[in-house]
Amino acid sequence: MKVIAKGRSQVGWAKEFTCTGNGNNGGGCGAQLLVEQGDLFVTQSHFRDETDSFLTFECPECRVWTDLTQAQSDAAPQTAWNARIRVPG
């Protein structure tokens, strides 16, 4: 990805994360990223009668999805969970 014109400054919640592919079969590239709330989306895993939801981001370098850990999700603003739900593929 290349910046053609500078955008707005980051405002609001943001945190540094590493692209690991956690929760998505690994394969992350290890890039250090500043992930803003708007970069997060919700993914779900269904098993039997249970559905687990995760806050996830897509790495702009390798396009691999990384799920936040439970502790990282707990530290994110509650409004992050209002993000759209995406399914792989």
Side-chain angles (χ1 to χ4, degrees):
M1 188 178 305
K2 185 176 182 180
V3 176
I4 296 171
K6 295 271 184 196
R8 64 168 174 75
S9 298
Q10 186 276 317
V11 177
W13 182 89
K15 183 112 174 127
E16 290 184 21
F17 295 108
T18 301
C19 172
T20 63
N22 178 50
N24 297 281
N25 299 319
C29 68
Q32 293 294 114
L33 306 166
L34 180 64
V35 178
E36 299 179 33
Q37 182 174 332
D39 298 322
L40 297 173
F41 51 92
V42 176
T43 56
Q44 295 181 325
S45 173
H46 305 282
F47 183 72
R48 297 190 185 204
D49 294 335
E50 294 185 22
T51 299
D52 292 321
S53 296
F54 306 92
L55 286 177
T56 306
F57 65 88
E58 180 178 11
C59 177
E61 290 290 316
C62 68
R63 299 292 183 221
V64 168
W65 290 7
T66 297
D67 294 344
L68 301 188
T69 65
Q70 186 63 50
Q72 292 167 335
S73 294
D74 290 346
Q78 187 60 40
T79 55
W81 289 97
N82 296 335
R84 67 196 181 281
I85 295 176
R86 288 179 58 183
V87 293

